[in-house]
Amino acid sequence: MKYGIFYQFCQKASNHPDKDYFFIIDEINRGNMSKIFGELLMLIEPDYRDNKIKLAYNGLDFSVPQNLHIIGMMNTADRSLALIDYALRRRFSFFTMEPGFDTDGFKKYQQKLNSPVFDKLIDRVKDLNDEILKDDSLGSGFCIGHSYFCNLDTCTNDALLDIVDFDILPMLNEYWFDEPSKVERWENDLHGVFE
C-alpha cells in the first residue's frame, strides 16, 4: 500500500483551504471507476465533503476537501461513455464543449498564422461540422474539433494536408462507413482547398 496521487492531492488541498484545487482525469469514461474512486465515491459528493471516514485498506481517517474540484473529461463520440453508471453520473455536473473555431482565442491564433489556405480549410471543416450535426446517427459529439489545428508553429500546406489525410478523413471513413460517396465528396472538398 502507498499513498496515491489523489490522496496526496487531497492532503495538499486540505493544507490550503482558501485556494481551489482541480484534479483532472482525462477520458474518465475509459477508466475502471471502482478502481479509480473505490470507497471515495461517497466522499466526492458535496454533502460528504470534509467528512472523514475510515479507509477500509489502511484504517486511516480520510476526507475529500470542499476546495478540491474533480474534472472528468470524456469524448461523447466514444462508445464507452455508456459504461459510466448512474452512481457516478449523479456525482458530476456535465458541461458540453463545442469545437472552438469561433472563439476569440482561436481567431487570434488564426490571424497570427496569416494563411489563406488555413482560413479556407477551417471554413470547410465548419461546413463539414454542420453536416455532422444534422446527421441523425452522429450529432454534436462527433464534430471535428479545433484541437487538430492548434499548435502549428508554421502553417504549411503539407502540415494541413496531413491533418486532413491522417486525422479527419479516417474519422469520416468510420462515421460514414456505409456511405462511401459522402466520404468521397468531403475528401474532394477538403482536398480542393489546396488547389
Side-chain angles (χ1 to χ4, degrees):
M1 288 291 296
K2 65 176 185 175
Y3 296 121
I5 294 168
F6 187 70
Y7 180 91
Q8 292 169 356
F9 201 73
C10 285
Q11 298 308 310
K12 202 175 192 181
S14 292
N15 292 334
H16 302 99
D18 55 327
K19 187 176 170 188
D20 285 322
Y21 282 78
F22 298 88
F23 192 81
I24 300 171
I25 304 170
D26 194 18
E27 300 204 32
I28 192 170
N29 53 314
R30 290 182 172 271
N32 181 329
M33 292 300 108
S34 36
K35 280 192 176 181
I36 292 172
F37 290 109
E39 59 195 318
L40 298 179
L41 206 52
M42 179 181 78
L43 293 181
I44 66 175
E45 288 188 52
D47 294 347
Y48 292 98
R49 293 297 182 100
D50 289 324
N51 291 328
K52 292 187 182 289
I53 65 161
K54 235 176 232 331
L55 295 177
Y57 291 110
N58 59 15
L60 293 177
D61 287 339
F62 182 74
S63 66
V64 177
Q66 292 280 352
N67 61 327
L68 189 143
H69 309 281
I70 300 169
I71 298 174
M73 299 189 314
M74 64 178 77
N75 183 342
T76 55
D78 182 352
R79 300 298 184 194
S80 64
L81 176 61
L83 302 176
I84 301 289
D85 68 12
Y86 292 112
L88 187 63
R89 283 179 189 267
R90 71 170 190 250
R91 287 166 170 87
F92 285 89
S93 299
F94 285 78
F95 175 79
T96 302
M97 294 181 69
E98 303 292 332
F101 294 114
D102 294 321
T103 62
D104 290 339
F106 191 84
K107 286 179 180 177
K108 284 178 189 170
Y109 168 72
Q110 189 171 354
Q111 286 172 349
K112 191 176 91 175
L113 290 175
N114 192 26
S115 166
V117 174
F118 185 89
D119 296 344
K120 195 172 177 184
L121 181 58
I122 296 304
D123 286 341
R124 289 289 182 280
V125 171
K126 287 159 93 174
D127 292 341
L128 171 60
N129 279 344
D130 286 342
E131 186 162 341
I132 290 170
L133 270 169
K134 293 173 189 165
D135 190 311
D136 291 335
S137 64
L138 297 174
S140 63
F142 292 83
C143 286
I144 308 300
H146 62 284
S147 62
Y148 288 111
F149 301 95
C150 293
N151 301 319
L152 291 172
D153 294 327
T154 57
C155 187
T156 64
N157 284 4
D158 287 343
L160 294 175
L161 193 56
D162 282 351
I163 294 168
V164 169
D165 286 343
F166 302 117
D167 294 318
I168 296 174
L169 290 175
M171 205 165 4
L172 296 183
N173 274 305
E174 287 183 36
Y175 288 177
W176 292 314
F177 67 92
D178 56 346
E179 296 180 78
S181 60
K182 190 181 278 192
V183 176
E184 186 179 346
R185 177 172 52 86
W186 277 108
E187 181 177 359
N188 292 333
D189 200 15
L190 293 171
H191 281 164
V193 167
F194 302 97
E195 295 171 357

